[in-house]
Amino acid sequence: MTALTVGDRLPDISLTGLDGQPVRLHDLLDSHLVLFFYPKDDTPGCTQEACSFRDMYDIFLRLGARVVGISADSVESHRRFSERHGLPFLLLSDPEHLARRALGVPNTLGFIPGRVTYVIDRDGVIRQVFNAQFHPQAHIDQALRILQSLAEPAEPLPDV
């Protein structure tokens, strides 16, 4: 499994959304895309990470980004997790690890599904890969930092 890095293109993968329907990742590229892979619904670190993305969601939207969480949990588990914590973003189920393998998300200690966040631009190019299993909040901070650098510059102020 070769891990994708900055400059690589997002593979064209479909996963299952909360409504049980397939969601094609390339169809989400009408905005920047923040894909965060996490180990498991309702575990302390994953809940902290998802709730931090939730709490900063309006800022992600203002920066022109869509947030999507991916784990191997079932659609029903994702549905409960999303409802329990009021998550406003899409969760996708990857029980066969199709997306994990395609992007090269490594396991931690050889058996814990990795916690990796990708920031992908509207052209499908990976602009950032952040891997930190035990620092869930850092994923939000790093994604916001790179999105701010991708933000369209504001119109210059007129000379006075």
Side-chain angles (χ1 to χ4, degrees), residues 38-39 45-46 106-108 112-116 131-136 139:
Y38 64 99
C46 297
N107 285 342
T108 301
I112 300 169
R115 182 184 314 280
V116 179
N131 182 350
Q133 182 74 21
F134 303 108
H135 302 285
H139 289 260

Side-chain angles (χ1 to χ4, degrees), residues 20 22 28 41 69-71 81 99 115 122 142 156 159:
L28 304 178
D41 291 341
I70 300 174
S71 82
F81 184 54
R115 182 184 314 280
R122 290 177 180 94
Q142 292 295 319
D159 291 327

Side-chain angles (χ1 to χ4, degrees), residues 4-5 11 17 21 26 29 46 63 66 71 73 76 82 87-88 101 110-111 113 120 132:
L4 297 185
T5 61
Q21 297 301 308
H26 278 207
L29 293 174
C46 297
L63 290 170
R66 178 190 304 258
S71 82
D73 292 300
E76 186 54 40
S82 182
L87 304 179
R101 282 196 304 272
F111 65 93
I120 301 150

